[in-house]
Short mmCIF file of all heavy atoms in Angstrom, two decimals:
data_model
loop_
_atom_site.label_atom_id
_atom_site.label_comp_id
_atom_site.label_asym_id
_atom_site.label_seq_id
_atom_site.Cartn_x
_atom_site.Cartn_y
_atom_site.Cartn_z
N GLY A 114 10.17 5.04 -4.64
CA GLY A 114 10.43 5.10 -6.10
C GLY A 114 11.30 6.20 -6.52
O GLY A 114 12.02 6.04 -7.56
N SER A 116 13.76 7.57 -4.60
CA SER A 116 15.10 7.57 -3.93
C SER A 116 15.70 6.24 -3.99
O SER A 116 16.51 5.88 -4.90
CB SER A 116 14.91 7.97 -2.47
OG SER A 116 14.03 7.16 -1.74
N LEU A 117 15.41 5.26 -3.07
CA LEU A 117 16.06 4.04 -2.94
C LEU A 117 15.95 3.10 -4.20
O LEU A 117 16.86 2.40 -4.61
CB LEU A 117 15.60 3.35 -1.69
CG LEU A 117 15.81 3.95 -0.37
CD1 LEU A 117 15.21 3.15 0.74
CD2 LEU A 117 17.37 4.04 -0.16
N LEU A 118 14.77 3.11 -4.77
CA LEU A 118 14.54 2.14 -5.89
C LEU A 118 14.69 2.76 -7.29
O LEU A 118 14.44 2.07 -8.22
CB LEU A 118 13.08 1.53 -5.74
CG LEU A 118 12.90 0.74 -4.52
CD1 LEU A 118 11.42 0.30 -4.37
CD2 LEU A 118 13.87 -0.52 -4.40
N ARG A 119 14.99 4.07 -7.35
CA ARG A 119 15.07 4.68 -8.63
C ARG A 119 15.99 4.09 -9.62
O ARG A 119 15.70 3.81 -10.80
CB ARG A 119 15.46 6.14 -8.43
CG ARG A 119 15.31 6.98 -9.74
CD ARG A 119 15.62 8.45 -9.51
NE ARG A 119 15.36 9.20 -10.72
CZ ARG A 119 14.36 10.00 -10.91
NH1 ARG A 119 13.45 10.08 -9.94
NH2 ARG A 119 14.17 10.60 -12.01
N ARG A 120 17.24 3.78 -9.23
CA ARG A 120 18.17 3.21 -10.07
C ARG A 120 17.83 1.80 -10.55
O ARG A 120 17.97 1.48 -11.64
CB ARG A 120 19.62 3.17 -9.42
CG ARG A 120 20.25 4.48 -9.28
CD ARG A 120 21.69 4.46 -8.88
NE ARG A 120 22.23 5.75 -8.74
CZ ARG A 120 22.82 6.21 -7.67
NH1 ARG A 120 23.03 5.34 -6.59
NH2 ARG A 120 23.27 7.36 -7.59
N HIS A 121 17.20 1.04 -9.58
CA HIS A 121 16.71 -0.35 -9.92
C HIS A 121 15.59 -0.25 -10.99
O HIS A 121 15.67 -1.08 -11.95
CB HIS A 121 16.28 -1.05 -8.68
CG HIS A 121 15.60 -2.36 -8.99
ND1 HIS A 121 16.32 -3.46 -9.39
CD2 HIS A 121 14.29 -2.69 -8.89
CE1 HIS A 121 15.47 -4.42 -9.60
NE2 HIS A 121 14.25 -4.00 -9.25
N VAL A 122 14.68 0.66 -10.74
CA VAL A 122 13.59 0.73 -11.74
C VAL A 122 14.12 1.21 -13.14
O VAL A 122 13.77 0.57 -14.14
CB VAL A 122 12.54 1.78 -11.17
CG1 VAL A 122 11.53 2.14 -12.28
CG2 VAL A 122 11.88 1.19 -10.02
N GLU A 123 15.05 2.21 -13.12
CA GLU A 123 15.58 2.63 -14.44
C GLU A 123 16.40 1.54 -15.12
O GLU A 123 16.39 1.45 -16.35
CB GLU A 123 16.45 3.89 -14.22
CG GLU A 123 15.59 5.14 -13.89
CD GLU A 123 16.41 6.33 -13.50
OE1 GLU A 123 17.63 6.18 -13.25
OE2 GLU A 123 15.90 7.38 -13.49
N ALA A 124 17.15 0.81 -14.37
CA ALA A 124 18.05 -0.20 -14.95
C ALA A 124 17.32 -1.47 -15.27
O ALA A 124 17.68 -2.18 -16.30
CB ALA A 124 19.26 -0.54 -14.04
N SER A 125 16.44 -1.96 -14.43
CA SER A 125 15.84 -3.27 -14.58
C SER A 125 14.44 -3.30 -15.13
O SER A 125 14.07 -4.20 -15.95
CB SER A 125 15.83 -3.94 -13.24
OG SER A 125 17.11 -4.07 -12.71
#
Side-chain angles (χ1 to χ4, degrees):
S116 60
L117 297 176
L118 298 176
R119 186 177 188 106
R120 288 190 184 129
H121 171 71
V122 169
E123 289 173 346
S125 302

